[in-house]
Amino acid sequence: MPLRALLFRRPPEPQAIEIAFDRMVFSVRLRRHPQARRYTLRIQAATREVVLTMPPRGSLKEARAFAQKHGGWIAARLRRLPAALPFAPGALVPVRGVDHRIEHRRDARGTVWSEVGADGTRLLCVAGAAPHVGRRIADHLKREAKRDLDAASRRYAAQLHVTVRRVAIRDPSSRWGSCSTTGVLSFSWRLILAPPYVLDYLAAHEVAHLVEMNHSPRFWRTVLGVCPDTRRAKVWLDAHGAELHRYGAGA
């Protein structure tokens, strides 16, 4: 590259900026989007990350001013997010919508299993060394999610006369499920934490996309036809969905 071009080359845009509000400092990730028409802010509940989307011709100066102007909004939204709860002995974790207390059984045989304590408390027991408790609980919940979602998806597929090729379990931060045109369904493992009718609804929702790959009125009629609890599940997700991301930091 010629020397003149090197001297006048535009410096790389930072990936994040910091703003201060009420003696607190927040990191804001910058995301330039070709279709954005204005500056927008959002907070990812799963990671507590603040993201500022910029239009193609937006400037760093304007982005910083926009974020600073909304410092109070950022602080308020972050305060409203539930605190992260790692999978550790004594923690209460919902499984299929019912709270279970994690109990470490170091010298027991096996990996993870459920019990009911003498006082009626539901327990999620985990064997092995203490450093492995969190990973073992997370692995167990992911296996349970895969089992329930696979069964529910294939049940709805039979009702709708479509074929599910594969069910995958992931940990997305912004959606509960997705469906490919090839019949591969992906879901958040965190649905195992929700009541069963919520998991069933998400399975019905994604399987219905194999009939209608859109969210048209016909699609919603298809979902309601196989899942009467659709509205109830959507209300639950709106009220409690973000809280599911607090469990199992790093899982």
Side-chain angles (χ1 to χ4, degrees):
M1 182 179 292
L3 179 59
R4 182 179 177 84
L6 283 171
L7 291 173
F8 291 96
R9 186 171 60 176
R10 186 176 181 179
E13 190 167 85
Q15 294 185 340
I17 58 175
E18 289 187 342
I19 65 161
F21 176 81
D22 195 22
R23 291 184 292 182
M24 294 180 290
V25 177
F26 303 107
S27 176
V28 179
R29 180 163 68 85
L30 300 178
R31 173 177 175 265
R32 194 179 291 276
H33 196 283
Q35 296 180 344
R37 296 184 177 181
R38 56 192 176 89
Y39 296 91
T40 58
L41 276 168
R42 64 186 174 89
I43 294 176
Q44 295 183 343
T47 60
R48 304 177 71 88
E49 184 180 39
V50 184
V51 182
L52 193 160
T53 300
M54 304 169 59
R57 295 182 178 274
S59 70
L60 182 60
K61 180 179 178 181
E62 290 174 341
R64 189 182 298 278
F66 182 84
Q68 189 65 57
K69 178 182 176 182
H70 292 86
W73 179 88
I74 293 172
R77 289 297 297 268
L78 287 173
R79 278 197 300 267
R80 285 167 51 189
L81 290 178
L85 184 68
F87 293 143
L92 282 179
V93 177
V95 181
R96 299 183 179 92
V98 178
D99 279 346
H100 287 62
R101 191 179 74 236
I102 295 176
E103 184 163 299
H104 184 207
R105 304 272 183 87
R106 178 185 177 87
D107 298 322
R109 297 174 66 91
T111 53
V112 179
W113 66 97
S114 297
E115 282 186 11
V116 177
D119 60 354
T121 301
R122 293 181 180 269
L123 304 174
L124 198 57
C125 304
V126 55
H132 305 308
V133 167
R135 178 182 55 79
R136 288 193 166 193
I137 292 290
D139 289 347
H140 170 77
L141 292 174
K142 290 172 185 178
R143 285 193 299 269
E144 292 295 295
K146 175 71 180 294
R147 185 179 69 177
D148 286 11
L149 284 161
D150 193 271
S153 297
R154 297 189 188 281
R155 183 173 70 249
Y156 288 122
Q159 294 179 45
L160 294 174
H161 307 290
V162 294
T163 300
V164 172
R165 282 189 54 210
R166 183 165 58 89
V167 172
I169 299 300
R170 297 189 170 88
D171 191 15
S173 61
S174 59
R175 60 172 61 184
W176 298 112
S178 63
C179 171
S180 76
T181 56
T182 60
V184 176
L185 308 184
S186 295
F187 296 97
S188 168
W189 69 265
R190 295 176 183 277
L191 291 172
I192 197 64
L193 306 175
Y197 68 86
V198 176
L199 180 146
D200 278 357
Y201 156 66
L202 264 302
H205 183 118
E206 299 308 333
V207 171
H209 277 310
L210 296 174
V211 179
E212 293 286 330
M213 193 61 76
N214 52 53
H215 288 106
S216 65
R218 184 176 175 181
F219 165 82
W220 287 112
R221 286 195 297 271
T222 301
V223 178
L224 283 164
V226 294
C227 183
D229 278 327
T230 290
R231 293 188 178 90
R232 180 185 175 203
K234 291 177 69 177
V235 168
W236 191 95
L237 282 169
D238 287 343
H240 306 290
E243 188 172 351
L244 299 185
H245 289 288
R246 71 181 295 221
Y247 296 100

